[in-house]
Amino acid sequence: MLRRVVAGVAAVVLVVEAAAVVVVHLVLGRTTAGQSMSIAGSDPDAMSKATYGLGAGLGAFLVLCAVLLAVAAVRDRAPGRLARALLIGAAVTNGVLSALVAALVGWGAFAVLTAVLCLLVLFLVLYGRQEGAQPAPGPAPAGPGAGTLGPTAPVTPTSP
């Protein structure tokens, strides 16, 4: 039950974060277009369009991650390999954004983005190991008693 709640809350929070990211990038893009300044010779129109594109791309990525979280909450099953990779990418993105926001905006915004990061990590940990999953095949242990954690015979040094 806890896994479903965490996944659902994380999905809702990511949708809200996606909306906030898109709005912030819209404001930044309009501000850049309104200034009509050239920074190191770059075109102001290109900079504002790039800001719009980045906002749309990051918002779409966060919405996609929210959909993956919602699907996991409804099915109560761990996401696949690609979905886990995308969610790990979202967690890393939130970690980097929280570090930047702490310096630029303040500790309140840092706390919010860190809470989102914690939700994503909690989701990944709760859905980390599936029931009935077999360990990955590896090389067979060599020798008698290899691979056991019980007591072993003392090793006697040999002289050359």
Side-chain angles (χ1 to χ4, degrees):
M1 181 67 183
L2 175 67
R3 297 185 329 170
R4 286 182 156 187
V5 170
V6 169
V9 168
V12 170
V13 168
L14 280 185
V15 169
V16 171
E17 182 182 2
V21 163
V22 168
V23 168
V24 166
H25 279 83
L26 283 173
V27 169
L28 288 174
R30 287 183 190 225
T31 304
T32 303
Q35 293 294 319
S36 296
M37 294 188 310
S38 173
I39 300 175
S42 17
D43 182 26
D45 290 332
M47 289 191 312
S48 66
K49 289 178 183 174
T51 303
Y52 293 143
L54 180 64
L58 189 54
F61 172 68
L62 291 173
V63 168
L64 172 66
C65 290
V67 167
L68 294 173
L69 288 167
V71 167
V74 169
R75 292 183 180 171
D76 198 23
R77 288 182 31 205
R81 199 175 278 203
L82 178 63
R84 283 185 67 80
L86 288 173
L87 292 170
I88 290 169
V92 170
T93 301
N94 269 293
V96 171
L97 283 177
S98 66
L100 289 173
V101 163
L104 298 175
V105 178
W107 292 107
F110 170 79
V112 169
L113 284 175
T114 303
V116 175
L117 170 66
C118 291
L119 272 174
L120 288 171
V121 170
L122 181 60
F123 169 82
L124 290 168
V125 168
L126 287 175
Y127 280 97
R129 190 91 178 172
Q130 296 178 19
E131 297 85 23
Q134 298 295 324
T148 61
L149 295 177
T152 59
V155 177
T156 56
T158 58
S159 58

